[in-house]
Amino acid sequence: MSRKLALLSGAFLFVLGASGTAALVFAPATIMPGYKEDTGGHCKTVYQSEFRRGKEKRLIAVISGDDREPRERVKTGLRLARHLSDTLHSDLTIVQVADNRGPMTRAGLRGAAIGAEIAYAPNPTRTLAVSQPWEVRYVNTVPTSTGYYFGERIDMPQSDIESLAHEIELIAGCDGDLVEEEAQTVAAGGHDEPAKPAGH
């Protein structure tokens, strides 16, 4: 092999090796073998209802989400409760969180199908249902593969609720609502009741 050919071959192999290393260093994580994208915080509104109880305007929403851990499930519910209250100006907003692998019918969204319930009243003196801005109840377990929650039921202390609420960077609705059909809304004056959370 001539000296010139050897030098060209060596240079080619060097560039090929360097480019391969660069590909490994700079390639997006999504194409790496074994990479699994983190999910969480995504939800879709299954049912939404506005009604009046006396002089109060109340709003109830049932959402399905992909959060498996109780803390993240509650965080998604807090975010949505704030969003609905701020945009629809309800005196009391209740958000019930179900798993996206569980039942989706109104009849099925009760009992063990509900993993968390968040009640938010920005001005508690305007509602007879709560005495403080936040009330949070959740089932302290991850959902089963069929979307049910079987575990201890917890009433979250106010200090924990406030701490979790401060972690929310963006108050926004369910991202699934942007691409799916709109949630059903019952006009104020209706008498729909929320699904019953587990243990209640």
Side-chain angles (χ1 to χ4, degrees):
M1 182 182 296
S2 69
R3 183 178 179 184
K4 185 175 182 181
L5 183 59
L7 289 173
L8 288 174
S9 298
F12 175 76
L13 291 174
F14 174 80
V15 171
L16 184 65
S19 62
T21 301
L24 288 174
V25 172
F26 298 108
T30 52
I31 68 172
M32 296 294 187
Y35 174 84
K36 184 177 180 181
E37 185 178 0
D38 291 331
T39 59
H42 305 291
C43 64
K44 173 187 172 183
T45 304
V46 179
Y47 172 76
Q48 185 171 308
S49 170
E50 289 182 52
F51 63 97
R52 289 193 175 274
R53 184 61 57 86
K55 295 183 179 180
E56 298 176 38
K57 179 181 178 181
R58 296 185 181 183
L59 184 145
I60 297 167
V62 182
I63 66 173
S64 65
D66 64 348
D67 296 305
R68 306 295 178 237
E69 295 299 325
R71 177 184 177 86
E72 297 306 314
R73 189 186 318 142
V74 169
K75 193 172 178 179
T76 297
L78 290 172
R79 185 194 81 209
L80 189 64
R82 276 285 307 275
H83 169 74
L84 292 173
S85 179
D86 291 348
T87 55
L88 299 178
H89 310 293
S90 51
D91 298 312
L92 176 68
T93 301
I94 298 173
V95 174
Q96 295 181 330
V97 185
D99 187 73
N100 58 7
R101 299 168 299 178
M104 291 295 110
T105 64
R106 287 184 60 191
L109 286 165
R110 63 184 68 238
I114 301 298
E117 181 178 74
I118 293 89
Y120 177 55
N123 185 351
T125 62
R126 297 187 57 136
T127 176
L128 300 176
V130 298
S131 58
Q132 47 201 357
W134 292 103
E135 285 188 6
V136 174
R137 292 174 288 277
Y138 65 94
V139 184
N140 192 27
T141 186
V142 296
T144 66
S145 60
T146 53
Y148 288 92
Y149 303 88
F150 300 106
E152 182 184 11
R153 296 158 183 85
I154 304 292
D155 289 324
M156 183 176 280
Q158 287 296 305
S159 58
D160 291 351
I161 298 172
E162 293 171 3
S163 175
L164 199 57
H166 285 312
E167 294 181 14
I168 301 173
E169 298 179 357
L170 176 65
I171 302 300
C174 283
D175 51 352
D177 295 342
L178 299 177
V179 294
E180 300 289 349
E181 67 278 3
E182 292 185 3
Q184 178 182 357
T185 301
V186 177
H191 299 287
D192 287 76
E193 292 293 338
K196 298 295 184 182
H200 295 275

